[in-house]
Amino acid sequence: MLNRSDLELTIKYISMFIIILFTVVLTLNLTGCDQASQDLPLEVAEEDDLNNEEANGSSSDSGDEEIGEDESEIDVPPEEDNPEDGSPLIDHESDNENLSGVKVVSDGDYLLALVTKETTLKSDYHPTDLSPIPAYMFPSRELYLREEALMYLTDLWNAAEADGVILKIISAYRSYSYQKSLFQSYANRYGETQANRFSARAGQSEHQLGTTVDFGGTDVDLKAAFARTEQGQWLAENAHRFGFVLSYPEGKEEITGYIFEPWHYRYIGVGAAAEWKAYGLTLNEYLDSKPQYYD
């Protein structure tokens, strides 16, 4: 029979064995969990990482500020991805829609005509001197511009090329009916409120004037980040010398009605563009200071 001393020693050994056994089992379980997490599909692992970051209030972003951060959430789709009917040169409409409280521009040929959400071009207005944009400018399809605007666009394009910057023309003249289909396709896809931030309703698009161009040639075309590309920077610094001005600058949506569009330039004439540049106004503010003619 065990005496008291032997009994206490036995209990001590048993306790030590239990502790060692528990430690071994725990280690094996933890190792199995790590291995299991390594075997998770990539999507699940990334989702877990994202959840952990959100729970910790952290982010994988470097902290660099994006140009037009809120605006860059909207990626404007290229026109050819949308179901417009007919040629952009053909007008199918005879009457303007939703004209209540909107001023009707008398003559779209006027280079300083104010085209905003408070004005509208006539549904049957189209320039009579449209000319095709040449293939060497890499138009996205058959595109047209008024003769004077095209002449200065040619000078602009050649100057950019001489500086090692290659521009592509994504969009130019659009008819009333083409713009109507384009806006409706965006509204169907994104909702009318969102579409109204980056696309104009029929009659309210500067593209109908035949003097407006959307530039591209980068992998961030139709995005706010276009402003940081060599194309975007060259245009911002030089376009006004050829009569083209930025219609929708950054941080001015409350004034212009549209998000930052560093690719969208309108020809208003070399003299007017120089004056606009000196004044430091948005385009619609500058044009509003000039004589306007309405029906």
Side-chain angles (χ1 to χ4, degrees):
M1 186 173 177
L2 294 175
N3 58 33
R4 181 181 179 85
S5 177
D6 291 338
L7 181 61
E8 288 177 348
L9 185 61
T10 301
I11 294 174
K12 181 178 180 181
Y13 286 148
I14 292 174
S15 298
M16 291 177 61
F17 176 79
I18 291 174
I19 291 172
I20 293 172
L21 180 62
F22 178 80
T23 301
V24 171
V25 171
L26 180 61
T27 301
L28 290 174
N29 285 339
L30 289 175
T31 303
C33 289
D34 289 341
Q35 182 61 44
S37 65
Q38 294 173 10
D39 293 338
L40 287 173
L42 180 60
E43 311 91 271
V44 177
E46 290 176 343
E47 183 177 350
D48 287 342
D49 291 340
L50 180 60
N51 291 336
N52 290 334
E53 288 177 358
E54 292 175 346
N56 295 328
S58 62
S59 170
S60 61
D61 293 341
S62 63
D64 294 337
E65 182 179 357
E66 294 292 332
I67 292 180
E69 183 176 352
D70 292 337
E71 296 161 351
S72 65
E73 294 175 2
I74 304 176
D75 296 338
V76 181
E79 292 172 37
E80 56 268 32
D81 287 348
N82 297 280
E84 305 89 357
D85 295 325
S87 165
L89 289 176
I90 300 174
D91 282 304
H92 303 288
E93 308 295 332
S94 58
D95 297 307
N96 289 74
E97 299 177 347
N98 304 319
L99 292 182
S100 178
V102 177
K103 299 176 182 178
V104 179
V105 176
S106 296
D107 183 10
D109 287 348
Y110 178 44
L111 286 179
L112 302 183
L114 181 62
V115 179
T116 68
K117 293 179 180 180
E118 286 73 46
T119 68
T120 184
L121 294 164
K122 297 174 182 178
S123 59
D124 60 355
Y125 168 73
H126 61 85
T128 58
D129 60 344
L130 292 171
S131 297
I133 292 176
Y136 70 82
M137 293 186 187
F138 308 105
S140 60
R141 57 186 179 285
E142 191 172 7
L143 297 174
Y144 297 82
L145 212 59
R146 292 185 61 189
E147 288 179 356
E148 181 180 339
L150 181 57
M151 179 176 68
Y152 282 95
L153 176 64
T154 301
D155 292 342
L156 181 155
W157 198 94
N158 290 335
E161 183 186 37
D163 287 342
V165 177
I166 302 301
L167 298 167
K168 295 182 180 181
I169 310 303
I170 295 176
S171 183
Y173 169 72
R174 302 176 194 157
S175 70
Y176 181 96
S177 60
Y178 186 89
Q179 186 67 33
K180 180 180 179 181
S181 296
L182 185 64
F183 179 84
Q184 190 58 53
S185 67
Y186 289 149
N188 291 342
R189 189 181 307 180
Y190 302 102
E192 190 170 318
T193 299
Q194 194 78 326
N196 204 41
R197 296 181 63 201
F198 66 83
S199 180
R201 297 176 184 275
Q204 298 181 333
S205 171
E206 291 186 327
H207 285 282
Q208 190 180 343
L209 296 167
T211 54
T212 301
V213 171
D214 287 346
F215 290 99
T218 74
D219 57 0
V220 288
D221 290 351
L222 302 179
K223 300 178 186 293
F226 178 81
R228 289 195 304 232
T229 65
E230 61 178 1
Q231 288 85 350
Q233 292 174 346
W234 190 95
L235 288 166
E237 295 171 4
N238 297 283
H240 69 282
R241 299 193 293 115
F242 305 92
F244 286 86
V245 302
L246 180 68
S247 295
Y248 310 124
E250 183 180 11
K252 300 295 184 179
E253 186 175 350
E254 290 186 2
I255 298 174
T256 66
Y258 298 99
I259 64 170
F260 179 34
E261 295 190 3
W263 59 85
H264 180 112
Y265 283 79
R266 173 180 166 183
Y267 176 80
I268 60 173
V270 174
E275 188 176 56
W276 162 83
K277 185 73 171 178
Y279 284 2
L281 301 172
T282 63
L283 176 58
N284 60 325
E285 288 174 322
Y286 171 75
L287 295 178
D288 198 36
S289 72
K290 300 299 179 181
Q292 296 297 323
Y293 309 98
Y294 303 107
D295 285 355

